[in-house]
């Protein structure tokens, strides 16, 4: 059987046994949300003021499987989501998976008017992943929203072009390494009943990334 989260996302990354029943779970969504909250807690008040006033607006780049988990997590947390996709049919299909929520869709030709009230930008595409480290999914010559935090699910390289460009404009930005750790910790806890050390898992993952370079 599937948990409500796995059913809504349409993907399973953790299987465990409950009695004589196998259960499929998805820890990507809660793992992302856990790390997102950790990231937003470090964002200066200039960005956080929009969150305090309840204006939770996110722009999600991409409409694939990773986007589905991210959008599910954001909607569950009360965010209003706009999907930026190159394939409109894929974005429409994704939007139909969440009929109880109002999602907006745009292509990658968006401008400042589309992002003026955005508090969060999440990249769910593989653009910028090693070995194509000089690529970025963000439109060329378009500045980031002045109040937006940038979250890039790509974690190899350790600092993606998107994160580097955002930080050069003074925007808070992070990669998806924290999400990788959080979803793994949740799976480990489901399997063993024990909460692992985040510091130990982070050190191990970081060392693995360094070794792969």
């Amino acid at each position: 059987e599937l948990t409500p989260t796995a059913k809504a996302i349409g993907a399973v990354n953790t299987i465990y046994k409950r009695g004589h029943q196998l259960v499929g779970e998805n820890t990507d969504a809660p793992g992302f949300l856990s790390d997102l909250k950790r990231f937003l807690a470090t964002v200066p008040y200039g960005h956080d003021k929009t969150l305090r006033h309840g204006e939770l607006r996110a722009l999600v780049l991409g409409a694939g499987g990773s986007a589905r988990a991210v959008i599910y997590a954001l909607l569950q947390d009360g965010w209003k989501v706009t999907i930026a996709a190159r394939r409109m049919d894929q974005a429409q299909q994704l939007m139909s998976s969440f009929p109880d929520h109002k999602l907006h869709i745009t292509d990658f030709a968006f401008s400042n008017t589309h992002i003026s009230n955005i508090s969060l930008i999440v990249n769910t595409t593989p653009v910028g992943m090693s070995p194509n480290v000089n690529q970025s999914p963000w439109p060329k010559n378009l500045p980031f929203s002045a109040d937006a935090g940038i979250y890039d699910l790509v974690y190899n390289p350790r600092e993606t072009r998107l994160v580097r460009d955002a930080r050069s404009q003074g925007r808070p930005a992070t990669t998806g390494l924290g999400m990788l750790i959080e979803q793994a910790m949740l799976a480990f806890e489901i399997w063993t009943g024990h909460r692992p050390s985040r510091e130990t898992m982070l050190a191990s993952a970081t060392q693995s990334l360094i070794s792969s370079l």
Side-chain angles (χ1 to χ4, degrees), residues 26-38:
N26 187 300
T27 64
D28 283 334
F32 163 73
L33 192 58
S34 177
D35 191 58
L36 175 65
K37 290 180 181 295
R38 179 187 296 271

Side-chain angles (χ1 to χ4, degrees), residues 45-56 118-119 147:
Y45 178 73
H47 160 70
D48 192 47
K49 64 182 180 181
T50 57
L51 305 183
R52 296 190 183 194
H53 293 156
E55 298 172 5
L56 302 167
I118 294 295
S119 301
D147 289 322

